[in-house]
Amino acid sequence: MKTKTLKKDKVNIVTLGCAKNLVDSEVMLTQLKGNQIDAQHESEKDDSNVIIINTCGFIENAKQESIDTILQYASAKEDGRIDKLYVTGCLSQRYKDDLEAEIPQVDAFFGTMELPNLLKKFKADYKHELVGERLSSKASHYAYMKISEGCDRPCSFCAIPLMRGKHRSRPIEELVAEAKHLAKNGTKELLLIAQDSTYYGLDIYKKRNLAELLEKLSEVEGIEWIRLHYAFPTGFPTDILDVMREKSNICKYLDMPLQHGSSKVLKLMRRGTTREKTEKLVEEIRAKVPGIHLRTTLIVGHPGETEEDFQEMLDFVKKCRFERVGVFTYSHEEDTHAHTMEDDVPEEVKQERAEIVMELQQNISFENNQKKIGQQFKVLIDRKEGGYFVGRTEFDSPEVDNEVLIDAEKHYLRVGDFANVEVYDATDYDLYADPVQ
Ligand code: SF4
């Protein structure tokens, strides 16, 4: 009797959205591999018969990209190029019922907290012993680490709490164990991420405990850079500033989305702060951590934002001179508080305002970079590209901030290594440098 050979599944995970989603995909990959399932992340090879799409549901553009990706693989399934298609992540959490009705080719949709159920599709169990054993998929020398999940903030424009639930901090011991595991596997830079990293500990330690977490992580051998992202201005735990100043392996870098510079719009956004308080906090941060580089994110076109409010935003950006700025145009997201308001700023005005902010920031960045000519910096080499080794200083986060270009014709460096360099030229967002001893 002929025995039927069962085709062994080969899984490819496709990640959309933010670094927090990337970490979830890396955890998924670790769990699948931990169950002896042949799985890979973002494989370019077309040899997988099972696809898992980890979607983003944050704003309109991101939602559209997620839907397009699902439809792309839905047609691959119809053509018989893949056998199974699973969808998880924020878009799936937020619109599961609609998606199930509209895209029946998908075998199953899962929410953001349903990894154990997804694993069951592979007759696999969620292995608690693998918590903290995640492998970084982006690069071996840097890794994102999610210190908490969810968010308790009421920001008017934001749908994230709808998709990620209430704030849940991960215990310090678990995070230190994960950092040790990552360091053992070559990670030198840890990027701490959350929805609101400064809320860390309020749930499990009944106090803001980010300072203690930073202290403990800075003791992990092999971790040379710790970078803090997604700080929130209201209730900011200033005790972390002392740790940042004192610990040489904590980057003098802080990402703190501020969203706007007009107190009136900050009130409409339910950010719980004012322009004055924000400027005072920025001054305190700069005073307590000399040389710190501040990254912020701003939203233009929120309902109720007038030309006058926008001018105040520009004035705020000019005054605070952030080293790094990202701008989003407001997206009218259903079920958010802002969705009860009229989306009264025309799309073209939103775009125009975003461009004006980035033009202003381009000049600020150019002026700052000119001052770096002749200075020496420690640089982490990320890749080789177009005749250059491309790296970052402690003031630059991957994929969003400035880069340092080193001529690969003249110099040889290794990706993943640190190098000391001296800057000889600079543009608005790049520095050109040569290695020094
Ligand atoms: S802090 Fe505000 S903007 Fe950030 S995830 Fe929470 S609700 Fe959204």
PDB file of all heavy atoms in Angstrom, residues 26 30 129-136 140 143-145 170 173-188 190 217 220-223:
ATOM      1  N   GLU A  26       9.315  38.290  15.405  1.00  0.00           N
ATOM      2  CA  GLU A  26      10.516  37.549  15.841  1.00  0.00           C
ATOM      3  C   GLU A  26      10.150  36.530  16.929  1.00  0.00           C
ATOM      4  O   GLU A  26      10.671  35.413  16.952  1.00  0.00           O
ATOM      5  CB  GLU A  26      11.581  38.530  16.329  1.00  0.00           C
ATOM      6  CG  GLU A  26      12.168  39.384  15.203  1.00  0.00           C
ATOM      7  CD  GLU A  26      13.051  40.529  15.687  1.00  0.00           C
ATOM      8  OE1 GLU A  26      13.035  40.830  16.899  1.00  0.00           O
ATOM      9  OE2 GLU A  26      13.743  41.130  14.852  1.00  0.00           O
ATOM     10  N   THR A  30      10.559  32.481  16.615  1.00  0.00           N
ATOM     11  CA  THR A  30      11.233  31.687  17.647  1.00  0.00           C
ATOM     12  C   THR A  30      10.342  30.539  18.117  1.00  0.00           C
ATOM     13  O   THR A  30      10.803  29.412  18.288  1.00  0.00           O
ATOM     14  CB  THR A  30      11.584  32.607  18.841  1.00  0.00           C
ATOM     15  OG1 THR A  30      12.306  33.742  18.340  1.00  0.00           O
ATOM     16  CG2 THR A  30      12.418  31.882  19.883  1.00  0.00           C
ATOM     17  N   GLU A 129       9.203  28.438  27.913  1.00  0.00           N
ATOM     18  CA  GLU A 129      10.651  28.408  28.145  1.00  0.00           C
ATOM     19  C   GLU A 129      11.404  29.175  27.057  1.00  0.00           C
ATOM     20  O   GLU A 129      12.578  29.510  27.223  1.00  0.00           O
ATOM     21  CB  GLU A 129      11.173  26.959  28.235  1.00  0.00           C
ATOM     22  CG  GLU A 129      11.076  26.145  26.954  1.00  0.00           C
ATOM     23  CD  GLU A 129       9.703  25.486  26.792  1.00  0.00           C
ATOM     24  OE1 GLU A 129       8.729  25.962  27.427  1.00  0.00           O
ATOM     25  OE2 GLU A 129       9.616  24.520  26.009  1.00  0.00           O
ATOM     26  N   LEU A 130      10.718  29.521  25.977  1.00  0.00           N
ATOM     27  CA  LEU A 130      11.392  30.259  24.893  1.00  0.00           C
ATOM     28  C   LEU A 130      11.267  31.776  25.060  1.00  0.00           C
ATOM     29  O   LEU A 130      11.862  32.540  24.300  1.00  0.00           O
ATOM     30  CB  LEU A 130      10.798  29.859  23.538  1.00  0.00           C
ATOM     31  CG  LEU A 130      11.105  28.439  23.053  1.00  0.00           C
ATOM     32  CD1 LEU A 130      10.388  28.161  21.734  1.00  0.00           C
ATOM     33  CD2 LEU A 130      12.608  28.233  22.918  1.00  0.00           C
ATOM     34  N   VAL A 131      10.496  32.218  26.069  1.00  0.00           N
ATOM     35  CA  VAL A 131      10.353  33.666  26.307  1.00  0.00           C
ATOM     36  C   VAL A 131      11.739  34.244  26.579  1.00  0.00           C
ATOM     37  O   VAL A 131      12.494  33.700  27.391  1.00  0.00           O
ATOM     38  CB  VAL A 131       9.399  33.952  27.492  1.00  0.00           C
ATOM     39  CG1 VAL A 131       9.443  35.437  27.865  1.00  0.00           C
ATOM     40  CG2 VAL A 131       7.991  33.541  27.130  1.00  0.00           C
ATOM     41  N   GLY A 132      12.105  35.287  25.865  1.00  0.00           N
ATOM     42  CA  GLY A 132      13.423  35.890  26.077  1.00  0.00           C
ATOM     43  C   GLY A 132      14.473  35.296  25.153  1.00  0.00           C
ATOM     44  O   GLY A 132      15.611  35.751  25.130  1.00  0.00           O
ATOM     45  N   GLU A 133      14.100  34.257  24.380  1.00  0.00           N
ATOM     46  CA  GLU A 133      15.091  33.624  23.499  1.00  0.00           C
ATOM     47  C   GLU A 133      14.909  34.089  22.058  1.00  0.00           C
ATOM     48  O   GLU A 133      15.311  33.420  21.123  1.00  0.00           O
ATOM     49  CB  GLU A 133      14.931  32.104  23.582  1.00  0.00           C
ATOM     50  CG  GLU A 133      15.149  31.567  24.992  1.00  0.00           C
ATOM     51  CD  GLU A 133      16.126  30.409  25.005  1.00  0.00           C
ATOM     52  OE1 GLU A 133      16.424  29.906  23.894  1.00  0.00           O
ATOM     53  OE2 GLU A 133      16.570  30.048  26.102  1.00  0.00           O
ATOM     54  N   ARG A 134      14.365  35.241  21.895  1.00  0.00           N
ATOM     55  CA  ARG A 134      14.054  35.753  20.555  1.00  0.00           C
ATOM     56  C   ARG A 134      15.341  36.081  19.783  1.00  0.00           C
ATOM     57  O   ARG A 134      16.299  36.555  20.370  1.00  0.00           O
ATOM     58  CB  ARG A 134      13.205  37.021  20.723  1.00  0.00           C
ATOM     59  CG  ARG A 134      12.951  37.836  19.506  1.00  0.00           C
ATOM     60  CD  ARG A 134      12.046  38.990  19.863  1.00  0.00           C
ATOM     61  NE  ARG A 134      12.639  39.849  20.859  1.00  0.00           N
ATOM     62  CZ  ARG A 134      13.397  40.906  20.570  1.00  0.00           C
ATOM     63  NH1 ARG A 134      13.635  41.199  19.315  1.00  0.00           N
ATOM     64  NH2 ARG A 134      13.907  41.637  21.524  1.00  0.00           N
ATOM     65  N   LEU A 135      15.308  35.817  18.508  1.00  0.00           N
ATOM     66  CA  LEU A 135      16.471  36.155  17.683  1.00  0.00           C
ATOM     67  C   LEU A 135      16.142  37.411  16.895  1.00  0.00           C
ATOM     68  O   LEU A 135      15.026  37.558  16.393  1.00  0.00           O
ATOM     69  CB  LEU A 135      16.779  34.998  16.723  1.00  0.00           C
ATOM     70  CG  LEU A 135      17.239  33.702  17.400  1.00  0.00           C
ATOM     71  CD1 LEU A 135      17.404  32.588  16.384  1.00  0.00           C
ATOM     72  CD2 LEU A 135      18.534  33.960  18.153  1.00  0.00           C
ATOM     73  N   SER A 136      17.107  38.338  16.770  1.00  0.00           N
ATOM     74  CA  SER A 136      16.879  39.566  16.018  1.00  0.00           C
ATOM     75  C   SER A 136      16.925  39.240  14.527  1.00  0.00           C
ATOM     76  O   SER A 136      17.828  38.575  14.061  1.00  0.00           O
ATOM     77  CB  SER A 136      17.963  40.597  16.350  1.00  0.00           C
ATOM     78  OG  SER A 136      17.806  41.700  15.468  1.00  0.00           O
ATOM     79  N   SER A 140      22.314  41.376  13.101  1.00  0.00           N
ATOM     80  CA  SER A 140      22.776  40.650  14.297  1.00  0.00           C
ATOM     81  C   SER A 140      23.284  41.623  15.344  1.00  0.00           C
ATOM     82  O   SER A 140      23.256  41.358  16.536  1.00  0.00           O
ATOM     83  CB  SER A 140      23.894  39.691  13.891  1.00  0.00           C
ATOM     84  OG  SER A 140      24.935  40.482  13.343  1.00  0.00           O
ATOM     85  N   ALA A 143      19.147  45.132  18.041  1.00  0.00           N
ATOM     86  CA  ALA A 143      17.848  44.469  18.222  1.00  0.00           C
ATOM     87  C   ALA A 143      16.889  45.396  18.962  1.00  0.00           C
ATOM     88  O   ALA A 143      17.309  46.170  19.827  1.00  0.00           O
ATOM     89  CB  ALA A 143      18.008  43.178  19.012  1.00  0.00           C
ATOM     90  N   TYR A 144      15.614  45.320  18.578  1.00  0.00           N
ATOM     91  CA  TYR A 144      14.572  46.043  19.304  1.00  0.00           C
ATOM     92  C   TYR A 144      14.138  45.180  20.487  1.00  0.00           C
ATOM     93  O   TYR A 144      14.122  43.948  20.390  1.00  0.00           O
ATOM     94  CB  TYR A 144      13.379  46.295  18.382  1.00  0.00           C
ATOM     95  CG  TYR A 144      13.695  47.232  17.235  1.00  0.00           C
ATOM     96  CD1 TYR A 144      14.075  46.747  15.991  1.00  0.00           C
ATOM     97  CD2 TYR A 144      13.643  48.603  17.416  1.00  0.00           C
ATOM     98  CE1 TYR A 144      14.376  47.611  14.942  1.00  0.00           C
ATOM     99  CE2 TYR A 144      13.949  49.481  16.387  1.00  0.00           C
ATOM    100  CZ  TYR A 144      14.316  48.970  15.155  1.00  0.00           C
ATOM    101  OH  TYR A 144      14.639  49.837  14.125  1.00  0.00           O
ATOM    102  N   MET A 145      13.820  45.832  21.595  1.00  0.00           N
ATOM    103  CA  MET A 145      13.296  45.082  22.734  1.00  0.00           C
ATOM    104  C   MET A 145      12.052  45.793  23.255  1.00  0.00           C
ATOM    105  O   MET A 145      12.108  46.966  23.638  1.00  0.00           O
ATOM    106  CB  MET A 145      14.337  44.962  23.851  1.00  0.00           C
ATOM    107  CG  MET A 145      13.864  44.007  24.929  1.00  0.00           C
ATOM    108  SD  MET A 145      15.202  43.247  25.837  1.00  0.00           S
ATOM    109  CE  MET A 145      15.592  44.579  26.925  1.00  0.00           C
ATOM    110  N   ARG A 170       6.669  44.381  31.049  1.00  0.00           N
ATOM    111  CA  ARG A 170       7.308  43.076  31.210  1.00  0.00           C
ATOM    112  C   ARG A 170       8.277  43.172  32.385  1.00  0.00           C
ATOM    113  O   ARG A 170       8.967  44.178  32.549  1.00  0.00           O
ATOM    114  CB  ARG A 170       8.056  42.688  29.924  1.00  0.00           C
ATOM    115  CG  ARG A 170       7.143  42.506  28.729  1.00  0.00           C
ATOM    116  CD  ARG A 170       7.938  42.239  27.474  1.00  0.00           C
ATOM    117  NE  ARG A 170       8.711  40.995  27.567  1.00  0.00           N
ATOM    118  CZ  ARG A 170       9.773  40.716  26.809  1.00  0.00           C
ATOM    119  NH1 ARG A 170      10.204  41.614  25.921  1.00  0.00           N
ATOM    120  NH2 ARG A 170      10.421  39.569  26.954  1.00  0.00           N
ATOM    121  N   GLU A 173      13.369  41.172  35.295  1.00  0.00           N
ATOM    122  CA  GLU A 173      14.162  39.925  35.176  1.00  0.00           C
ATOM    123  C   GLU A 173      14.041  39.340  33.768  1.00  0.00           C
ATOM    124  O   GLU A 173      15.034  38.921  33.156  1.00  0.00           O
ATOM    125  CB  GLU A 173      13.688  38.865  36.183  1.00  0.00           C
ATOM    126  CG  GLU A 173      13.717  39.304  37.642  1.00  0.00           C
ATOM    127  CD  GLU A 173      12.626  40.354  37.932  1.00  0.00           C
ATOM    128  OE1 GLU A 173      11.513  40.225  37.385  1.00  0.00           O
ATOM    129  OE2 GLU A 173      12.934  41.339  38.649  1.00  0.00           O
ATOM    130  N   GLU A 174      12.805  39.348  33.241  1.00  0.00           N
ATOM    131  CA  GLU A 174      12.566  38.776  31.912  1.00  0.00           C
ATOM    132  C   GLU A 174      13.309  39.585  30.843  1.00  0.00           C
ATOM    133  O   GLU A 174      13.927  39.024  29.933  1.00  0.00           O
ATOM    134  CB  GLU A 174      11.054  38.797  31.629  1.00  0.00           C
ATOM    135  CG  GLU A 174      10.606  38.039  30.396  1.00  0.00           C
ATOM    136  CD  GLU A 174       9.080  38.150  30.224  1.00  0.00           C
ATOM    137  OE1 GLU A 174       8.345  37.719  31.151  1.00  0.00           O
ATOM    138  OE2 GLU A 174       8.632  38.715  29.198  1.00  0.00           O
ATOM    139  N   LEU A 175      13.300  40.911  31.000  1.00  0.00           N
ATOM    140  CA  LEU A 175      13.962  41.782  30.015  1.00  0.00           C
ATOM    141  C   LEU A 175      15.483  41.639  30.100  1.00  0.00           C
ATOM    142  O   LEU A 175      16.167  41.591  29.074  1.00  0.00           O
ATOM    143  CB  LEU A 175      13.525  43.225  30.245  1.00  0.00           C
ATOM    144  CG  LEU A 175      12.057  43.507  29.923  1.00  0.00           C
ATOM    145  CD1 LEU A 175      11.625  44.858  30.475  1.00  0.00           C
ATOM    146  CD2 LEU A 175      11.806  43.444  28.422  1.00  0.00           C
ATOM    147  N   VAL A 176      16.007  41.524  31.314  1.00  0.00           N
ATOM    148  CA  VAL A 176      17.460  41.342  31.469  1.00  0.00           C
ATOM    149  C   VAL A 176      17.886  39.999  30.865  1.00  0.00           C
ATOM    150  O   VAL A 176      18.886  39.913  30.151  1.00  0.00           O
ATOM    151  CB  VAL A 176      17.872  41.449  32.955  1.00  0.00           C
ATOM    152  CG1 VAL A 176      19.319  41.002  33.155  1.00  0.00           C
ATOM    153  CG2 VAL A 176      17.677  42.883  33.458  1.00  0.00           C
ATOM    154  N   ALA A 177      17.070  38.961  31.085  1.00  0.00           N
ATOM    155  CA  ALA A 177      17.382  37.636  30.509  1.00  0.00           C
ATOM    156  C   ALA A 177      17.379  37.717  28.980  1.00  0.00           C
ATOM    157  O   ALA A 177      18.277  37.186  28.316  1.00  0.00           O
ATOM    158  CB  ALA A 177      16.348  36.612  30.987  1.00  0.00           C
ATOM    159  N   GLU A 178      16.401  38.440  28.427  1.00  0.00           N
ATOM    160  CA  GLU A 178      16.322  38.573  26.972  1.00  0.00           C
ATOM    161  C   GLU A 178      17.532  39.344  26.440  1.00  0.00           C
ATOM    162  O   GLU A 178      18.130  38.973  25.427  1.00  0.00           O
ATOM    163  CB  GLU A 178      15.020  39.270  26.562  1.00  0.00           C
ATOM    164  CG  GLU A 178      14.802  39.337  25.062  1.00  0.00           C
ATOM    165  CD  GLU A 178      13.369  39.758  24.703  1.00  0.00           C
ATOM    166  OE1 GLU A 178      12.430  39.189  25.286  1.00  0.00           O
ATOM    167  OE2 GLU A 178      13.212  40.661  23.866  1.00  0.00           O
ATOM    168  N   ALA A 179      17.928  40.402  27.174  1.00  0.00           N
ATOM    169  CA  ALA A 179      19.097  41.193  26.748  1.00  0.00           C
ATOM    170  C   ALA A 179      20.365  40.333  26.769  1.00  0.00           C
ATOM    171  O   ALA A 179      21.182  40.401  25.848  1.00  0.00           O
ATOM    172  CB  ALA A 179      19.257  42.394  27.679  1.00  0.00           C
ATOM    173  N   LYS A 180      20.495  39.490  27.795  1.00  0.00           N
ATOM    174  CA  LYS A 180      21.670  38.607  27.878  1.00  0.00           C
ATOM    175  C   LYS A 180      21.679  37.630  26.701  1.00  0.00           C
ATOM    176  O   LYS A 180      22.712  37.402  26.065  1.00  0.00           O
ATOM    177  CB  LYS A 180      21.660  37.842  29.202  1.00  0.00           C
ATOM    178  CG  LYS A 180      22.052  38.694  30.405  1.00  0.00           C
ATOM    179  CD  LYS A 180      22.111  37.897  31.689  1.00  0.00           C
ATOM    180  CE  LYS A 180      22.584  38.787  32.840  1.00  0.00           C
ATOM    181  NZ  LYS A 180      22.175  38.250  34.141  1.00  0.00           N
ATOM    182  N   HIS A 181      20.501  37.103  26.363  1.00  0.00           N
ATOM    183  CA  HIS A 181      20.403  36.158  25.251  1.00  0.00           C
ATOM    184  C   HIS A 181      20.757  36.846  23.939  1.00  0.00           C
ATOM    185  O   HIS A 181      21.523  36.326  23.126  1.00  0.00           O
ATOM    186  CB  HIS A 181      18.975  35.598  25.174  1.00  0.00           C
ATOM    187  CG  HIS A 181      18.783  34.635  24.053  1.00  0.00           C
ATOM    188  ND1 HIS A 181      19.163  33.315  24.148  1.00  0.00           N
ATOM    189  CD2 HIS A 181      18.295  34.801  22.805  1.00  0.00           C
ATOM    190  CE1 HIS A 181      18.892  32.700  23.004  1.00  0.00           C
ATOM    191  NE2 HIS A 181      18.383  33.586  22.169  1.00  0.00           N
ATOM    192  N   LEU A 182      20.253  38.044  23.766  1.00  0.00           N
ATOM    193  CA  LEU A 182      20.545  38.790  22.531  1.00  0.00           C
ATOM    194  C   LEU A 182      22.035  39.125  22.456  1.00  0.00           C
ATOM    195  O   LEU A 182      22.666  38.957  21.414  1.00  0.00           O
ATOM    196  CB  LEU A 182      19.694  40.065  22.488  1.00  0.00           C
ATOM    197  CG  LEU A 182      18.201  39.874  22.240  1.00  0.00           C
ATOM    198  CD1 LEU A 182      17.414  41.136  22.593  1.00  0.00           C
ATOM    199  CD2 LEU A 182      17.948  39.496  20.778  1.00  0.00           C
ATOM    200  N   ALA A 183      22.622  39.538  23.595  1.00  0.00           N
ATOM    201  CA  ALA A 183      24.047  39.887  23.609  1.00  0.00           C
ATOM    202  C   ALA A 183      24.893  38.665  23.270  1.00  0.00           C
ATOM    203  O   ALA A 183      25.844  38.755  22.487  1.00  0.00           O
ATOM    204  CB  ALA A 183      24.422  40.426  24.990  1.00  0.00           C
ATOM    205  N   LYS A 184      24.485  37.511  23.806  1.00  0.00           N
ATOM    206  CA  LYS A 184      25.217  36.260  23.527  1.00  0.00           C
ATOM    207  C   LYS A 184      25.188  35.960  22.020  1.00  0.00           C
ATOM    208  O   LYS A 184      26.101  35.377  21.457  1.00  0.00           O
ATOM    209  CB  LYS A 184      24.558  35.109  24.299  1.00  0.00           C
ATOM    210  CG  LYS A 184      25.574  34.050  24.782  1.00  0.00           C
ATOM    211  CD  LYS A 184      24.952  33.012  25.710  1.00  0.00           C
ATOM    212  CE  LYS A 184      23.799  32.285  24.993  1.00  0.00           C
ATOM    213  NZ  LYS A 184      22.706  31.859  25.915  1.00  0.00           N
ATOM    214  N   ASN A 185      24.116  36.412  21.350  1.00  0.00           N
ATOM    215  CA  ASN A 185      23.979  36.161  19.913  1.00  0.00           C
ATOM    216  C   ASN A 185      24.443  37.340  19.070  1.00  0.00           C
ATOM    217  O   ASN A 185      24.032  37.485  17.916  1.00  0.00           O
ATOM    218  CB  ASN A 185      22.528  35.808  19.579  1.00  0.00           C
ATOM    219  CG  ASN A 185      22.190  34.401  20.063  1.00  0.00           C
ATOM    220  OD1 ASN A 185      22.546  33.427  19.426  1.00  0.00           O
ATOM    221  ND2 ASN A 185      21.550  34.312  21.220  1.00  0.00           N
ATOM    222  N   GLY A 186      25.253  38.226  19.671  1.00  0.00           N
ATOM    223  CA  GLY A 186      25.914  39.255  18.870  1.00  0.00           C
ATOM    224  C   GLY A 186      25.317  40.649  18.920  1.00  0.00           C
ATOM    225  O   GLY A 186      25.849  41.591  18.335  1.00  0.00           O
ATOM    226  N   THR A 187      24.196  40.818  19.634  1.00  0.00           N
ATOM    227  CA  THR A 187      23.593  42.155  19.719  1.00  0.00           C
ATOM    228  C   THR A 187      24.466  43.075  20.563  1.00  0.00           C
ATOM    229  O   THR A 187      24.859  42.718  21.665  1.00  0.00           O
ATOM    230  CB  THR A 187      22.182  42.061  20.323  1.00  0.00           C
ATOM    231  OG1 THR A 187      21.350  41.314  19.446  1.00  0.00           O
ATOM    232  CG2 THR A 187      21.577  43.444  20.513  1.00  0.00           C
ATOM    233  N   LYS A 188      24.777  44.253  20.009  1.00  0.00           N
ATOM    234  CA  LYS A 188      25.582  45.248  20.736  1.00  0.00           C
ATOM    235  C   LYS A 188      24.722  46.462  21.083  1.00  0.00           C
ATOM    236  O   LYS A 188      25.050  47.223  21.996  1.00  0.00           O
ATOM    237  CB  LYS A 188      26.751  45.700  19.866  1.00  0.00           C
ATOM    238  CG  LYS A 188      27.724  44.580  19.539  1.00  0.00           C
ATOM    239  CD  LYS A 188      28.769  45.014  18.528  1.00  0.00           C
ATOM    240  CE  LYS A 188      29.730  43.863  18.231  1.00  0.00           C
ATOM    241  NZ  LYS A 188      30.633  44.175  17.088  1.00  0.00           N
ATOM    242  N   LEU A 190      20.796  47.829  21.900  1.00  0.00           N
ATOM    243  CA  LEU A 190      19.410  47.484  22.262  1.00  0.00           C
ATOM    244  C   LEU A 190      18.542  48.727  22.082  1.00  0.00           C
ATOM    245  O   LEU A 190      18.835  49.773  22.656  1.00  0.00           O
ATOM    246  CB  LEU A 190      19.336  47.097  23.740  1.00  0.00           C
ATOM    247  CG  LEU A 190      19.469  45.645  24.167  1.00  0.00           C
ATOM    248  CD1 LEU A 190      19.238  45.546  25.674  1.00  0.00           C
ATOM    249  CD2 LEU A 190      18.524  44.754  23.407  1.00  0.00           C
ATOM    250  N   LEU A 217      19.813  46.957  32.684  1.00  0.00           N
ATOM    251  CA  LEU A 217      20.201  46.608  31.315  1.00  0.00           C
ATOM    252  C   LEU A 217      21.608  47.096  31.003  1.00  0.00           C
ATOM    253  O   LEU A 217      22.352  46.453  30.261  1.00  0.00           O
ATOM    254  CB  LEU A 217      19.202  47.209  30.323  1.00  0.00           C
ATOM    255  CG  LEU A 217      17.803  46.590  30.305  1.00  0.00           C
ATOM    256  CD1 LEU A 217      16.876  47.371  29.371  1.00  0.00           C
ATOM    257  CD2 LEU A 217      17.863  45.118  29.895  1.00  0.00           C
ATOM    258  N   VAL A 220      24.384  44.581  31.495  1.00  0.00           N
ATOM    259  CA  VAL A 220      24.455  43.352  30.690  1.00  0.00           C
ATOM    260  C   VAL A 220      25.703  43.386  29.818  1.00  0.00           C
ATOM    261  O   VAL A 220      25.883  44.298  29.010  1.00  0.00           O
ATOM    262  CB  VAL A 220      23.196  43.173  29.824  1.00  0.00           C
ATOM    263  CG1 VAL A 220      23.357  41.969  28.881  1.00  0.00           C
ATOM    264  CG2 VAL A 220      21.967  43.005  30.702  1.00  0.00           C
ATOM    265  N   GLU A 221      26.538  42.379  29.978  1.00  0.00           N
ATOM    266  CA  GLU A 221      27.810  42.339  29.252  1.00  0.00           C
ATOM    267  C   GLU A 221      27.593  42.256  27.741  1.00  0.00           C
ATOM    268  O   GLU A 221      26.697  41.519  27.284  1.00  0.00           O
ATOM    269  CB  GLU A 221      28.617  41.121  29.704  1.00  0.00           C
ATOM    270  CG  GLU A 221      30.123  41.379  29.619  1.00  0.00           C
ATOM    271  CD  GLU A 221      30.873  40.120  30.006  1.00  0.00           C
ATOM    272  OE1 GLU A 221      30.441  39.539  31.030  1.00  0.00           O
ATOM    273  OE2 GLU A 221      31.772  39.715  29.249  1.00  0.00           O
ATOM    274  N   GLY A 222      28.346  43.032  27.007  1.00  0.00           N
ATOM    275  CA  GLY A 222      28.268  42.976  25.545  1.00  0.00           C
ATOM    276  C   GLY A 222      27.346  44.033  24.949  1.00  0.00           C
ATOM    277  O   GLY A 222      27.430  44.344  23.760  1.00  0.00           O
ATOM    278  N   ILE A 223      26.438  44.581  25.774  1.00  0.00           N
ATOM    279  CA  ILE A 223      25.544  45.632  25.268  1.00  0.00           C
ATOM    280  C   ILE A 223      26.271  46.968  25.391  1.00  0.00           C
ATOM    281  O   ILE A 223      26.490  47.457  26.491  1.00  0.00           O
ATOM    282  CB  ILE A 223      24.217  45.642  26.041  1.00  0.00           C
ATOM    283  CG1 ILE A 223      23.455  44.324  25.862  1.00  0.00           C
ATOM    284  CG2 ILE A 223      23.352  46.835  25.590  1.00  0.00           C
ATOM    285  CD1 ILE A 223      22.985  44.049  24.431  1.00  0.00           C
TER     286      ILE A 223
END
